[in-house]
Amino acid sequence: MCLAWWFQEISMMKDGFPSAPSQPMATGYGQEGKFSGPLKPMTFSIYEGQEPNQIIFQFKANPPAVTFELTGETDNIFKIEREGLLYYTRTLDRETRATHNLQVAALDANGAIVEGPVPITIEVKDVNDNRPMFLQSKYEASVRQNSRPGKPFLYVNATDLDDPATPNGQLSYQIVIQLPMINDVMYFQINNKTGAISLTREGSQELNPAKNPSYNLVISVKDMGGQSENSFSDTTSVDIIVTENIWKAPEPVEMVENSTDPHPIKITQVVRWNDPGAQYSLVDKEKLPRFPFSIDQEGDIYVTQPLDREEKDAYVFYAVAKDEYGKPLSYPLEIHVKVEDINDNPPTCPSPVTVFEVQENERLGNSIGTLTAHDRDEENTANSLLNYRIVEQTPKLPMDGLFLIQTYAGMLQLAKQSLKKQDTPQYNLTIEVSDKDFKTLCFVQINVIDINDQIPIFEKSDYGNLTLAEDTNVGSTILTIQATDADEPFTGSSKILYHIIKGDSEGRLGVDTDPHTNTGYVIIKKPLDFETAAVSNIVFKAENPEPLVFGVTYNESSFAKFTLFVTDVNEAPEFSQYVFQAKVSEDVAIGTKVGNVTAKDPEGLDISYSLRGDTRGWLKIDHVTGEIFSVAPLDREAGSPYRVQVVATEVGGSSLSSVSQFHLILTDVNDNPPRLAKDYTDLFFCHPLSAPGSLIFEATDDDQHSFRGPHFTFSLASESLQKDWQVSKINGTHAQLSTRHTDFEEREYVVLIHINDGGRPPLESIVSLPVTFCSCGEGSCFRPAGHQPGIPTVGMAVGILLTTLLVIGIILAVVFIRMKKDKGKDNVESAQASEVKPLRS
């Protein structure tokens, strides 16, 4: 035998002993216990394709056994030597035999079995030594355009002799070529495990036999699940014919309304699905409350009840084909049903009585109005074509046939002469409206209206003089005027509107008209003003809202006048504005002019100015000019804007006055030194320090800052502090005080900090920051128990306690003595009383 190295899996059988793998061995006995052992049932796993003449195991037997015998499915491959060496002489092939069942027995010198036989199982393990093979070198199939994506129309199959339970026999399919390839889009796909070929979504949409009637696919199959570079493969060709989709919507259906035939009625049929077994259904696109259609499994579509075009003239719904699993086989087909009209509706009038108006001077042929009747049948058909005819006129004065109506348009016109309201104020017409099968009577009322041929005439043209004080209340009625119109009452021809056309350019007066009497009431709309209009010559015009007829114009009869005299009333001065505002810097010199106000007296009197509400005494005002000056230092931080009242009083007359506001806005200057933002009395470090520590403090000042805020700088106020402390800036307002070492006493330190505000001009200050070093517990500082001002010493506390106890004792003694005296007195009184009281029996 030749030298061989390999690995075997050994499993014990029946006796339950644990299996042990054999070790690499050479011809000979090898190492005891590694590839040899007693005779017992065993299983060996050997990979196929190994070199022949490989030792499997060496069995050992006890005397009197001297040799071994091998039987079973040896296939003349497995041998055993006298010494118990089990080996094979040819390469194993799993595809020929996957398991060899052998028996080994131990024999004595006479050939008699002294031990065994025991079963020995040889499992031949698979290696990937077989390539997959397609069952056909070429496949042919057909698919219809618009077939559902993912639904297989062909399966390709391949086999592999290797163990299917291992990756060696696991196959993976793939499309490697599609011809033609349009726009780099795959129209076909394959299930890599089953070999099922179907359309992609793009293929379902784009396949068209008119453009490309056939396609060719090259399909590959690989073993090892297609995941290994060393896998074997095979290819096959698939020729695919694209056929036309027969799943198409039928032509639009026309259905006569109100059919009396028995329902349901077949109205159309969808072309059946490409393959048998499809299940058909209808989907209502419009979600109607009543859906009068159905479909059977042959694809026939029925209407289930009579349709009414006037209710709905067209229907749109979908026909759907699904497979046995309820999945759509393709896109739905849109079905259109048009309901054809029949003449089943009579004409209807627009209203019970249609009313028109016509002026009494209307010319012949002019339109009076149009009667528009309705027909619910289909428009623009003979069923809805209407004819109009006048069948009666009431009254027939001054003659019959005064009106005519256009046969198809329904427009009414004057036929013979203009109308006179004095003859007849109203006409009633009966009009027949008909279509080809029905007739309806409609009623029209024509009112003859008066024309505006009379102008308004004032009862008098001059209403004289009127004197009013200038403070007469707005809204007061100051005059009543009256004009009349001979046209028909309560019409646009007789209604009168009054307008002031002269003498009131400011619009201080107005005229309201009573709609029932045409009386005009002159009212004050804006305050009267003696100073600007002491005398006004007012001119009125009376006119109608309806235009006058041609040839008639307004004349002097439609105009009237009166003269308004306004008497003077003393009025208070008037400021030019309600609020005056000025802006100055807060550091202006005393005596600087900071603003001025102006007021005028309507009567032209002189004005004297004064201030009210100058609580800080900062300002004074020139009584004559209204100029305002500073009389004391201003301070923005104390109040800005600073608000005072300015009083303007007329000099002489009634001394009337009025008040306005003066707001002084103070702009900031840097006049406040920086300071600590709060009283820092609780800063402490726990003593002793284990490491240098730090505390944070904040600075501020009272000046106005930009939107970026203040920009303080911080430093120690003395060089002597620098050996113990360090100050570092955090931002424009905060800084950090840090210790430079840990060697501090348990007491309070006062650290002087120099703060500069960086303003213009810069201001600075030195602030004291007290920091205490103390013993700590639970995050709190226990300060040294030395005597502090206001806290008594121990001796003092004891003295106070003894004094308090002594006072309490004296008070108790006095109370006790008093109680004893009161008790003795009570006893004496009791004895005396007993002497005078009679005994009771």
Side-chain angles (χ1 to χ4, degrees):
M1 292 181 192
C2 64
L3 181 65
W5 299 86
W6 69 320
F7 178 80
Q8 303 168 353
E9 294 179 358
I10 307 172
S11 60
M12 302 301 293
M13 298 174 55
K14 296 182 180 180
D15 55 3
F17 288 98
S19 62
S22 62
Q23 297 297 319
M25 65 188 81
T27 302
Y29 290 97
Q31 298 177 349
E32 180 70 19
K34 299 297 183 181
F35 65 95
S36 63
L39 184 63
K40 58 185 176 181
M42 300 183 73
T43 297
F44 300 93
S45 294
I46 304 172
Y47 280 104
E48 65 174 331
Q50 298 284 347
E51 294 183 1
N53 298 319
Q54 297 283 338
I55 297 175
I56 300 173
F57 196 74
Q58 182 176 15
F59 294 101
K60 292 185 178 181
N62 298 319
V66 295
T67 186
F68 292 88
E69 179 183 44
L70 179 66
T71 59
E73 298 170 344
T74 64
D75 294 344
N76 203 25
I77 297 175
F78 297 95
K79 306 288 184 179
I80 193 166
E81 296 293 323
R82 288 178 56 84
E83 298 84 359
L85 287 172
L86 178 63
Y87 62 97
Y88 57 91
T89 60
R90 296 201 308 271
T91 299
L92 300 180
D93 183 13
R94 190 201 67 84
E95 288 70 40
T96 303
R97 189 187 293 272
T99 302
H100 294 266
N101 296 304
L102 309 178
Q103 294 84 36
V104 177
L107 308 178
D108 59 14
N110 298 320
I113 296 175
V114 296
E115 191 174 348
V118 298
I120 304 299
T121 302
I122 306 296
E123 295 179 346
V124 182
K125 300 189 70 174
D126 187 46
V127 297
N128 192 22
D129 57 350
N130 292 280
R131 62 174 290 193
M133 299 288 291
F134 276 105
L135 299 184
Q136 297 176 216
S137 60
K138 186 174 184 179
Y139 290 82
E140 294 180 351
S142 65
V143 61
R144 289 194 184 275
Q145 66 179 134
N146 304 126
S147 293
R148 181 164 60 88
K151 182 175 178 59
F153 63 86
L154 174 67
Y155 286 86
V156 294
N157 292 288
T159 59
D160 192 312
L161 296 177
D162 289 319
D163 188 358
T166 68
N168 302 331
Q170 293 178 0
L171 304 183
S172 177
Y173 299 92
Q174 181 183 6
I175 298 176
V176 294
I177 297 175
Q178 170 188 297
L179 295 175
M181 175 74 79
I182 302 171
N183 297 327
D184 255 352
V185 176
M186 291 295 294
Y187 289 167
F188 302 91
Q189 59 188 349
I190 190 168
N191 187 304
N192 63 349
K193 290 184 171 31
T194 65
I197 300 176
S198 61
L199 294 181
T200 62
R201 185 175 299 277
E202 294 79 6
S204 175
Q205 296 172 352
E206 299 297 333
L207 282 185
N208 186 345
K211 295 180 179 180
N212 293 290
S214 64
Y215 288 82
N216 178 259
L217 305 180
V218 176
I219 311 294
S220 75
V221 62
K222 293 183 179 181
D223 59 15
M224 302 297 290
Q227 302 300 314
S228 172
E229 295 180 357
N230 300 322
S231 60
F232 294 114
S233 66
D234 190 18
T235 60
T236 189
S237 175
V238 178
D239 291 333
I240 300 173
I241 302 299
V242 180
T243 59
E244 183 182 5
N245 181 23
I246 62 173
W247 174 249
K248 294 182 179 179
E251 294 295 322
V253 178
E254 293 186 355
M255 181 75 186
V256 175
E257 67 172 328
N258 297 323
S259 172
T260 58
D261 295 338
H263 288 72
I265 301 172
K266 178 180 176 181
I267 58 175
T268 188
Q269 180 183 37
V270 295
V271 177
R272 292 174 177 81
W273 178 245
N274 304 315
D275 303 314
Q279 299 177 2
Y280 303 101
S281 61
L282 298 181
V283 176
D284 178 14
K285 177 182 179 181
E286 300 170 291
K287 307 299 181 186
L288 300 173
R290 181 177 69 94
F291 184 65
F293 301 97
S294 64
I295 189 172
D296 61 20
Q297 292 313 302
E298 298 299 322
D300 295 331
I301 298 177
Y302 299 86
V303 59
T304 58
Q305 53 189 301
L307 305 180
D308 184 0
R309 193 206 66 84
E310 286 71 40
E311 178 183 332
K312 187 170 179 58
D313 62 355
Y315 294 85
V316 179
F317 52 92
Y318 293 107
V320 179
K322 297 182 180 180
D323 62 15
E324 64 273 18
Y325 303 107
K327 294 183 178 180
L329 293 169
S330 184
Y331 56 86
L333 300 181
E334 193 169 77
I335 311 298
H336 292 263
V337 176
K338 179 182 178 182
V339 184
E340 292 184 343
D341 185 49
I342 62 173
N343 191 22
D344 56 348
N345 291 280
T348 59
C349 302
S351 61
V353 177
T354 302
V355 179
F356 296 115
E357 290 184 345
V358 58
Q359 289 185 343
E360 59 182 353
N361 66 338
E362 198 73 48
R363 295 180 180 180
L364 294 181
N366 281 4
S367 172
I368 298 173
T370 300
L371 177 66
T372 304
H374 302 282
D375 193 308
R376 295 184 62 199
D377 291 316
E378 186 174 1
E379 294 181 3
N380 302 319
T381 66
N383 296 333
S384 60
L385 180 62
L386 301 182
N387 292 278
Y388 298 87
R389 184 173 66 90
I390 298 175
V391 296
E392 185 178 5
Q393 169 192 315
T394 304
K396 298 178 173 58
L397 296 177
M399 65 185 68
D400 196 8
L402 290 174
F403 307 95
L404 63 82
I405 190 167
Q406 293 185 6
T407 303
Y408 296 105
M411 185 175 74
L412 282 163
Q413 298 171 287
L414 279 177
K416 293 184 177 180
Q417 67 178 45
S418 297
L419 306 179
K420 295 291 185 181
K421 186 170 184 180
Q422 291 79 1
D423 295 338
T424 302
Q426 183 182 95
Y427 291 90
N428 294 294
L429 303 180
T430 302
I431 298 175
E432 178 188 88
V433 184
S434 61
D435 60 20
K436 65 178 184 177
D437 296 314
F438 297 97
K439 294 180 181 179
T440 300
L441 295 179
C442 295
F443 301 96
V444 173
Q445 176 182 305
I446 299 176
N447 295 324
V448 181
I449 61 175
D450 183 40
I451 60 173
N452 192 15
D453 56 356
Q454 301 293 324
I455 63 172
I457 299 175
F458 274 101
E459 62 179 5
K460 56 184 178 179
S461 61
D462 191 344
Y463 282 88
N465 300 330
L466 181 64
T467 301
L468 296 174
E470 65 177 332
D471 62 352
T472 303
N473 292 334
V474 172
S476 301
T477 300
I478 61 174
L479 182 65
T480 301
I481 57 178
Q482 183 71 60
T484 58
D485 192 303
D487 286 314
E488 182 182 359
F490 308 112
T491 66
S493 299
S494 62
K495 181 179 180 180
I496 299 177
L497 300 178
Y498 298 96
H499 302 286
I500 297 175
I501 62 172
K502 185 178 179 181
D504 186 26
S505 59
E506 297 295 327
R508 289 187 168 92
L509 302 180
V511 184
D512 289 342
T513 303
D514 186 324
H516 300 288
T517 64
N518 278 337
T519 302
Y521 299 95
V522 182
I523 62 173
I524 299 176
K525 295 174 59 180
K526 296 180 180 178
L528 304 179
D529 188 7
F530 169 81
E531 287 72 26
T532 60
V535 180
S536 299
N537 294 309
I538 307 299
V539 177
F540 301 106
K541 179 182 180 182
E543 56 185 353
N544 306 124
E546 189 76 24
L548 295 175
V549 298
F550 180 76
V552 179
T553 59
Y554 294 103
N555 57 35
E556 65 276 1
S557 299
S558 300
F559 296 87
K561 65 179 181 178
F562 86 101
T563 302
L564 174 64
F565 294 92
V566 179
T567 60
D568 186 31
V569 175
N570 191 21
E571 298 171 277
E574 297 176 353
F575 280 98
S576 59
Q577 57 194 71
Y578 179 71
V579 177
F580 295 86
Q581 186 169 290
K583 180 186 291 186
V584 296
S585 174
E586 66 174 328
D587 64 346
V588 297
I590 294 175
T592 301
K593 178 183 174 181
V594 297
N596 68 284
V597 298
T598 57
K600 291 183 179 180
D601 184 74
E603 288 75 38
L605 298 176
D606 292 336
I607 293 175
S608 175
Y609 297 98
S610 61
L611 295 179
R612 182 188 297 169
D614 182 16
T615 57
R616 299 188 181 275
W618 286 353
L619 306 174
K620 73 173 183 178
I621 190 168
D622 188 299
H623 299 293
V624 177
T625 64
E627 294 177 316
I628 300 175
F629 301 88
S630 66
V631 296
L634 306 179
D635 185 6
R636 186 200 66 83
E637 289 72 32
S640 179
Y642 185 56
R643 297 179 175 89
V644 297
Q645 291 181 330
V646 182
V647 181
T649 305
E650 63 182 14
V651 179
S654 302
S655 299
L656 297 178
S657 63
S658 58
V659 178
S660 182
Q661 302 291 324
F662 178 73
H663 295 173
L664 181 61
I665 298 173
L666 301 177
T667 59
D668 188 48
V669 296
N670 194 29
D671 57 351
N672 290 279
R675 57 181 172 81
L676 291 176
K678 64 177 183 178
D679 187 14
Y680 288 97
T681 59
D682 55 352
L683 300 179
F684 70 93
F685 289 105
C686 292
H687 187 274
L689 284 178
S690 58
S694 61
L695 299 168
I696 295 175
F697 63 93
E698 180 184 1
T700 186
D701 67 16
D702 296 320
D703 289 316
Q704 186 176 17
H705 300 286
S706 67
F707 69 94
R708 296 181 179 178
H711 294 276
F712 298 123
T713 58
F714 305 86
S715 62
L716 294 171
S718 172
E719 292 185 2
S720 62
L721 296 171
Q722 294 180 1
K723 68 179 188 302
D724 298 327
W725 307 93
Q726 178 181 359
V727 174
S728 55
K729 181 177 178 180
I730 297 175
N731 54 34
T733 57
H734 291 73
Q736 180 174 270
L737 176 65
S738 305
T739 62
R740 288 186 178 273
H741 56 80
T742 60
D743 189 18
F744 289 88
E745 298 178 4
E746 187 176 358
R747 65 180 180 86
E748 181 181 84
Y749 291 79
V750 177
V751 184
L752 300 179
I753 306 296
H754 180 272
I755 307 176
N756 187 303
D757 65 4
R760 295 182 183 179
L763 295 180
E764 57 187 24
S765 62
I766 295 177
V767 299
S768 298
L769 200 63
V771 181
T772 302
F773 289 82
C774 56
S775 300
C776 295
E778 298 181 356
S780 300
C781 177
F782 296 103
R783 301 182 184 272
H787 176 65
Q788 299 181 20
I791 299 179
T793 63
V794 175
M796 294 173 62
V798 172
I800 292 171
L801 179 61
L802 292 176
T803 302
T804 303
L805 293 174
L806 178 61
V807 171
I808 293 173
I810 293 172
I811 293 172
L812 292 175
V814 171
V815 172
F816 180 73
I817 294 172
R818 182 68 180 266
M819 290 176 63
K820 289 190 66 177
K821 288 182 178 181
D822 291 342
K823 186 176 181 182
K825 183 178 180 181
D826 291 341
N827 291 337
V828 172
E829 292 177 352
S830 178
Q832 293 175 349
S834 63
E835 292 177 358
V836 298
K837 286 182 181 180
L839 295 176
R840 293 180 181 180
S841 58

